Amino acid sequence: MQQLHTPHVVVVMGVAGTGKTTIGPLLAARLGVPYAEGDDFHPPANIAKMTAGTPLTDEDRWPWLDAIGGWAHGRAGLGGVVSSSALKRSYRDRLRAAAPGVVFVHLTGSRELIEDRMSHRQGHFMPTALLDSQFATLQPLQPDEAGVAVDVAGTPEEITERAVVALRDLPEPVR
């Protein structure tokens, strides 16, 4: 498999269970850039809330998004891949404010497929009970946002390949 180098900083986004943590590292490897797990930027209080099945508020998310944005800013011109649900336009705007050149790979799929995948994963703090709130919050990428939507049907390798192909069509990031 050919490795593709890119100066893009890519945010792999989507509702819980779409495969951000699986696809993110695969995409980073294909692009030849480092990967950062978005969940690692959450403060302990956020993880405790999600583990208890309590959706995060916007106020809970701001420090998390700022930390991800700081990482993305530090990778500007170098490239990188980071995962973040980035469900609302305001969250993506906050990430772009910190790192103007970021692009988004929105992992999309049916609720049924995503719920099935969530029910089979182990060792993750996000319960399937929060999936409805995730879909209710989701604001898909708008035409004026740099990014692509990628269907999550298929194997991780197939999904990653679709993302690589879609990213090739994006213009080079502004520096």
Side-chain angles (χ1 to χ4, degrees), residues 80-166:
V81 175
V82 62
S83 59
S84 169
S85 54
L87 297 178
K88 289 184 180 180
R89 171 73 186 242
S90 61
Y91 304 164
R92 297 187 298 272
D93 288 345
R94 193 158 182 130
L95 291 171
R96 277 190 293 272
V102 298
V103 298
F104 296 88
V105 170
H106 180 188
L107 300 179
T108 64
S110 71
R111 189 196 183 290
E112 294 76 24
L113 173 64
I114 294 166
E115 182 176 29
D116 180 63
R117 288 186 179 172
M118 284 182 78
S119 68
H120 291 97
R121 67 183 183 179
Q122 297 176 357
H124 196 277
F125 55 80
M126 178 68 84
T128 57
L130 290 182
L131 190 55
D132 286 333
S133 74
Q134 293 258 305
F135 273 104
T137 301
L138 176 63
Q139 297 171 346
L141 288 174
Q142 298 302 301
D144 65 329
E145 294 185 272
V148 296
V150 176
D151 185 12
V152 297
T155 67
E157 293 75 20
E158 291 167 338
I159 298 163
T160 302
E161 182 61 25
R162 282 195 293 273
V164 168
V165 168

Side-chain angles (χ1 to χ4, degrees), residues 9 11 36-43 46 60-75 82-84 91 94-95 98-99:
V9 177
V11 177
E37 171 55 52
D39 287 341
D40 293 343
F41 293 91
H42 273 299
N46 284 7
D60 294 327
R61 286 187 176 91
W62 299 140
W64 172 64
L65 291 165
D66 290 343
I68 292 171
W71 183 88
H73 177 80
R75 297 298 310 164
V82 62
S83 59
S84 169
Y91 304 164
R94 193 158 182 130
L95 291 171

